[in-house]
Each structure stands twice: as structure tokens, then as C-alpha cells.
Amino acid sequence: MRDVVAGLEGSRIREVANEGIGREGVLKFWFGESDEVTPEPIRQAAIASLQAGETFYAHNLGLPELREAIAGYTERLHPGRGAAHWFGRIAVTSGGVNGLMLAAQTLVDAGDEVAVVTPAWPNLAAQPLILGARVKALPLVPRGGAWTLDLDALRQAVTPATRVLIVNAPANPTGFALTAEQQRQILAHCRATGTWIVADEVYERLYFETDTANGAAPSFLDVADPDDRLIVAHSFSKSFLMTGWRLGWLVLPPALTEAVGKLIEFNTSCAPVFVQRGAVAAIAHGDAVTPALVAHLRRCRDTLVPLLQALPGVELATPRAGMYAFFRLPGQADCLDVAKRLVREAGLGLAPGSAFAPEAAGWLRWCFASRDVSRLEEGVRRLNGWLADNRPRR
């Protein structure tokens, strides 16, 4: 076994979830997914595909019908170039995580320097590490519970020696989102250094601000030139309630599309046809699915966050995007131990911040994508009771 594989850390979120095995009544907010099932039209499209016998291989880059649908969807969100511009830049992948790994395989050689904006979903740093890269963190800075980007620090850290910069915005776990101006500055700097940008924008549609015309978060696709060194990763998981379907896509410079198709052949061959048929339906019915989902998530956020902010000593800012409240409890530095104890002692399942970066030790992530908003209120009640039982005694 390769040393880097042997040395990979297991998921600390899974470690906490394992504490809940066999425990009745645990409120589970540890994983990054809604508890709502995929909408009926999407499921029916997949069922119809299976009943039609579509159980064979597809094109490496995805069904032409799906690529056309994604191209049209991309043009609606990032207008001005036409759907035909996007079609040749789309590669359908077996999940967003597979897309990100394909991006790493396309760009990263052993020994390359890769910079990752953190705290971040752990896979973003692990993937280049598995390929033998030297990975360094570019930490966001927490101020009053809000995580912010120091652009001067990023410019100092990203040099001509930096092969790839990986940035997830809107971000898991922090809810951090880039502005269009920040994206322009990052892109200009990476042009000067020759650094590739891999932008994980899977939470693009789960955006609660009103400063964009399309209802989506600012995207590097809005400010980039067609041949910029930029790969953008997307997923059907979050915005279409399709986490278990494992389907995503990459938006690539045209010169990379054929090569990524070859990599898909050597990774997964192709995404299943019936899953892709479901995705075509997801885009077709997106106006009935995603806006309602975002409205519900905003309600969930606006229920949970004020309740948490009202707890004594809790540090938390209202997230601008995503489906997570990322907060710090007073006097609780070992967040992994706290998360396990909350499962055992309060029946409350949260993710430890240390799963996302060392600098997030002491923080907890709460996924607020709950069909029943009252579960969030009950969760805060349990947390408040646990805090009361564990306050230092004089």
C-alpha cells in the first residue's frame, strides 16, 4: 500500500455518526444533505429509463441530451455566450466528488504544490494529496463568527510555484461566499502566476442574498475568459435533492474536454444512463424544484441561526449560502469529543469542525436542511440543556 493512502485520515463526521448507531431518537444533522427525497418527476424519469431497458454504456462525456440540457442551464445562469458555447465544455461525472478527482488527475503531478482555501470539505485537500502533491492551506479568518478571505494573504501564498488553487465558494462548512470582485482579483492573480483554479461551486444555487440577477452566487464563469486556466465543478446533489444519485459535471476549457473524457473511461467509463435521464428531468423541472428548496432552506436558516445566536457565548454569523450553520461553543476546544458527547448525552448529531481543517477545531457544523423545521428548534433545546449541564461550576 502507498504510504499516502495508509496515512489518510478517516472521516471524523462518520466517526461521530458511528456514535449514534443503535441509539434511538438522535436528531441527525451531521451529513450534508436534506432529508427530503428526490422529487417525483426526476425519479419517474429514471424508472422509465430502466423500464425501457437503458442499462448499457453511454458516451464517456455523458448523454448528448444531458450535455445539451446542462449547457442551456449554464447559459441561463451565466448568460451572454449562448448554449452552444458551453456544450463542448461539459463533462458529465459520477458525482461532484468524482468530478473534482478528475480535475485533480488532469492537472496535478506528484510533487506539485496545490493550495486549498480552508476550512473546506476534506476531499478537496485529500484528492491532490493522494496524487502525491504538496498541499498547503490558505485559511479563511473568523471574525465575529463570519469567515472571511484575506486576499493579500492569498496573493502572497499563490506563486508561480503553485500549480492549482482549489476554492469552494459558496463554502462547506462555513457558508462563506466570494464576491464577483474577489473572483476577478483571484483570477487576475492566477493568470499572472500561471496557476490553475479549480472552483467547487456545487452550492451555487443555495444562495440567500439578493445581489445577483440570476438568484445564484457569483461564479468564476461570469468573470473568466473561455481559455482561462479554470475548471468549475458542479453537482446535481444539493440543488436538485439528488445526493444519492451520484451525478455531477465539470465546466472545462475546450482544450481539456477530450482528455477528461479519456480519464472518465479509466475511472468509471460513464455515468449510468438511467441516472442521466433523471438529471435531464431535474433540469427540465428545475424551476419547480430549486427555488422552492432555496426558500425552504432560508426558512430553516432563519429559524436555526437566531436560536443558536441567543445561546450564551455561542459565536455564529448568519451564512450567506449553503445549508450549514458553523458555530463555536464557549470553552469547548475539542469539538470531536463534544460532538460525540452530544450524540450520547443529548441525542444531537453535529459534525466536528476539525473534520474540515485544523483551524476549525472548536467549531461545529449543523446541517439545517430539514424538512420539518421543528426538528431544528428541538435540536437547539437539547443543545441548550447540554450546555447548562456542562457549564463550569464555581
Side-chain angles (χ1 to χ4, degrees), residues 81-353:
R81 292 177 174 141
H85 166 84
W86 300 110
F87 179 82
R89 299 159 59 92
I90 301 297
V92 175
T93 64
S94 296
V97 61
N98 173 240
L100 288 162
M101 191 63 174
L102 288 164
Q105 291 173 344
T106 302
L107 302 177
V108 176
D109 277 322
D112 281 347
E113 179 181 283
V114 175
V116 183
V117 176
T118 60
W121 181 50
N123 295 42
L124 295 180
Q127 289 171 336
L129 187 68
I130 289 168
L131 297 173
R134 295 177 292 109
V135 179
K136 68 178 183 181
L138 303 180
L140 299 170
V141 179
R143 295 189 177 95
W147 294 76
T148 59
L149 178 65
D150 185 333
L151 275 174
D152 289 334
L154 183 144
R155 280 187 280 259
Q156 291 177 9
V158 176
T159 73
T162 308
R163 174 67 173 167
V164 179
L165 168 65
I166 301 175
V167 56
N168 167 220
N172 170 16
T174 61
F176 161 78
L178 288 166
T179 66
E181 179 56 31
Q182 287 174 320
Q183 289 171 332
R184 289 189 188 93
Q185 292 188 42
I186 292 169
L187 187 57
H189 180 72
C190 288
R191 285 172 182 153
T193 61
T195 301
W196 281 86
I197 298 172
V198 174
D200 176 355
E201 297 186 356
V202 302
Y203 294 95
E204 175 186 43
R205 297 293 304 277
L206 307 188
Y207 189 61
F208 307 121
E209 304 297 307
T210 59
D211 56 357
T212 58
N214 57 9
S219 168
F220 278 99
L221 295 177
D222 294 320
V223 298
D225 294 331
D227 294 323
D228 272 323
R229 294 186 170 192
L230 170 69
I231 297 177
V232 178
H234 281 285
S235 172
F236 285 90
S237 290
K238 312 299 181 180
S239 300
F240 299 100
L241 297 169
M242 294 174 67
T243 51
W245 294 66
R246 312 315 306 132
L247 197 71
W249 73 93
L250 296 175
V251 184
L252 305 155
L256 291 189
T257 306
E258 182 180 353
V260 168
K262 295 175 186 176
L263 275 177
I264 292 172
E265 171 65 29
F266 299 130
N267 278 266
T268 59
S269 293
C270 59
V273 173
F274 71 92
V275 172
Q276 295 189 63
R277 295 294 186 201
V280 172
I283 293 175
H285 293 85
D287 288 345
V289 174
T290 305
L293 171 63
V294 174
H296 180 70
L297 289 176
R298 182 184 285 110
R299 180 182 170 217
C300 291
R301 180 197 68 168
D302 293 346
T303 297
L304 176 65
V305 169
L307 292 174
L308 288 174
Q309 289 172 330
L311 299 181
V314 166
E315 186 176 350
L316 168 66
T318 302
R320 297 175 59 200
M323 55 174 65
Y324 310 109
F326 200 53
F327 63 101
R328 181 157 53 186
L329 296 176
Q332 302 290 344
D334 189 343
C335 57
L336 179 59
D337 177 66
V338 167
K340 290 180 178 180
R341 289 182 60 197
L342 283 170
V343 173
R344 296 192 304 264
E345 300 169 13
L348 179 62
L350 307 177

